[in-house]
Amino acid sequence: MRCKHYFASIIVSLSLSFLFINNLYAKGIADPAEGWNHLWYELMVDIIIIGVIFAVLTLYLLLRYRRKQPDEEGQGPELSPLAALGWALIPTFIFLADDIFLGAKNFELWNKYRNIPENAYAINLESAMWSWEFNYPEGIKATNELRVPAGEPIMLKMTSRDVVHNLFIPEYKVKWEIRPGTMDTIWFYPKKTGEYVMTCVEFCGVLHSSMHGKVIVMQKDEFSKWIETEKNKIK
């Protein structure tokens, strides 16, 4: 009896800890990247909690019904058909419930991700074998370098000049297939200055591996100066 009470206490404690930590962590999603990070965190916590519970249960059953003598066969209790069905279905429902919950959170985040902020700074992106060409609203063009201001949502309006490409910026958790003849949009929210990788993750020809570039996040005043400098070069 003590083992059963101890096992039940472990389950209750782990469940309450999970709920407490989860609620603390889920206070607001500032941008899509943080949303995907939070969803990954929930996935890892769920796997750990469920894994620990099932590992403890398995260990308990192995120890409780193990054989005690070399010539003895370990024997568990005889289960009624209803009990056997319960042991089979309850774990299945636990896994399914967790999968459905995470799937619903994924769809919820996806819908938010597709709602582009009205004040997003829009830049046109034309992909081609094997480079990225960015066209700014001020008439500036840049190749393989996307300069953006920090603290401002950025929208990319994307099309392809030739074949299917796929833009991936790991830092901001954005990835989208770019097809010829169509215009697709994605957005991200750079908050810290720095340089980040962008690359094509869909095979697009013999130089596919060299189709990469940089996202350069600048302070707003530095970005404005860069815009003015590049505009003067056009004149």
Side-chain angles (χ1 to χ4, degrees), residues 96-212:
L96 282 177
D98 187 59
D99 288 344
I100 292 172
F101 168 76
L102 293 173
K105 296 286 285 186
N106 178 71
F107 281 116
E108 178 185 346
L109 179 60
W110 178 253
N111 288 332
K112 291 180 181 179
Y113 170 67
R114 295 309 300 160
N115 292 327
I116 300 174
E118 293 182 0
N119 63 334
Y121 182 66
I123 302 172
N124 290 330
L125 165 59
E126 187 176 39
S127 59
M129 296 187 291
W130 289 274
S131 63
W132 310 101
E133 185 173 294
F134 299 98
N135 296 283
Y136 290 78
E138 295 83 3
I140 300 167
K141 292 186 177 182
T143 302
N144 294 336
E145 285 190 356
L146 173 60
R147 295 178 181 266
V148 295
E152 188 171 335
I154 306 298
M155 176 176 66
L156 296 179
K157 302 170 69 176
M158 308 177 298
T159 189
S160 173
R161 193 184 305 164
D162 37 49
V163 299
V164 176
H165 300 280
N166 199 314
L167 177 68
F168 180 40
I169 310 176
E171 176 69 19
Y172 302 113
K173 307 298 187 292
V174 290
K175 177 179 177 292
W176 201 264
E177 193 173 79
I178 309 174
R179 297 160 294 171
T182 63
M183 177 70 72
D184 292 303
T185 57
I186 59 171
W187 76 282
F188 59 96
Y189 185 36
K191 293 181 290 184
K192 298 188 299 182
T193 58
E195 295 186 3
Y196 306 99
V197 173
M198 65 178 177
T199 186
C200 179
V201 291
E202 184 151 349
F203 183 72
C204 55
V206 292
L207 295 181
H208 161 71
S209 61
S210 65
M211 190 172 175
H212 52 79

Side-chain angles (χ1 to χ4, degrees):
M1 291 296 292
R2 287 183 179 179
C3 290
K4 292 181 179 179
H5 290 306
Y6 180 67
F7 177 67
S9 299
I10 291 176
I11 294 177
V12 172
S13 299
L14 289 174
S15 301
L16 291 176
S17 299
F18 165 70
L19 292 174
F20 177 72
I21 294 171
N22 194 47
N23 287 334
L24 282 179
Y25 195 88
K27 290 184 178 178
I29 296 177
D31 61 68
E34 289 184 3
W36 298 122
N37 287 336
H38 175 62
L39 186 61
W40 179 255
Y41 166 85
E42 286 191 336
L43 174 62
M44 292 296 100
V45 170
D46 288 4
I47 290 175
I48 291 172
I49 294 296
I50 293 175
V52 168
I53 290 174
F54 277 85
V56 171
L57 177 59
T58 302
L59 184 62
Y60 167 75
L61 294 175
L62 286 173
L63 294 176
R64 175 68 178 82
Y65 299 110
R66 73 187 188 281
R67 67 178 186 177
K68 298 178 178 58
Q69 301 295 332
D71 58 346
E72 180 185 0
E73 291 186 4
Q75 266 191 341
E78 293 186 7
L79 299 177
S80 66
L82 183 60
L85 188 63
W87 277 100
L89 293 182
I90 290 175
T92 302
F93 282 131
I94 291 175
F95 281 111
L96 282 177
D98 187 59
D99 288 344
I100 292 172
F101 168 76
L102 293 173
K105 296 286 285 186
N106 178 71
F107 281 116
E108 178 185 346
L109 179 60
W110 178 253
N111 288 332
K112 291 180 181 179
Y113 170 67
R114 295 309 300 160
N115 292 327
I116 300 174
E118 293 182 0
N119 63 334
Y121 182 66
I123 302 172
N124 290 330
L125 165 59
E126 187 176 39
S127 59
M129 296 187 291
W130 289 274
S131 63
W132 310 101
E133 185 173 294
F134 299 98
N135 296 283
Y136 290 78
E138 295 83 3
I140 300 167
K141 292 186 177 182
T143 302
N144 294 336
E145 285 190 356
L146 173 60
R147 295 178 181 266
V148 295
E152 188 171 335
I154 306 298
M155 176 176 66
L156 296 179
K157 302 170 69 176
M158 308 177 298
T159 189
S160 173
R161 193 184 305 164
D162 37 49
V163 299
V164 176
H165 300 280
N166 199 314
L167 177 68
F168 180 40
I169 310 176
E171 176 69 19
Y172 302 113
K173 307 298 187 292
V174 290
K175 177 179 177 292
W176 201 264
E177 193 173 79
I178 309 174
R179 297 160 294 171
T182 63
M183 177 70 72
D184 292 303
T185 57
I186 59 171
W187 76 282
F188 59 96
Y189 185 36
K191 293 181 290 184
K192 298 188 299 182
T193 58
E195 295 186 3
Y196 306 99
V197 173
M198 65 178 177
T199 186
C200 179
V201 291
E202 184 151 349
F203 183 72
C204 55
V206 292
L207 295 181
H208 161 71
S209 61
S210 65
M211 190 172 175
H212 52 79
K214 295 187 293 186
V215 178
I216 304 174
V217 184
M218 312 169 69
Q219 295 289 355
K220 287 187 178 181
D221 56 343
E222 293 181 1
F223 178 76
S224 298
K225 291 178 183 178
W226 177 77
I227 288 290
E228 291 302 319
T229 302
E230 294 300 313
K231 284 171 63 175
N232 291 332
K233 292 180 181 179
I234 299 175
K235 296 178 181 179

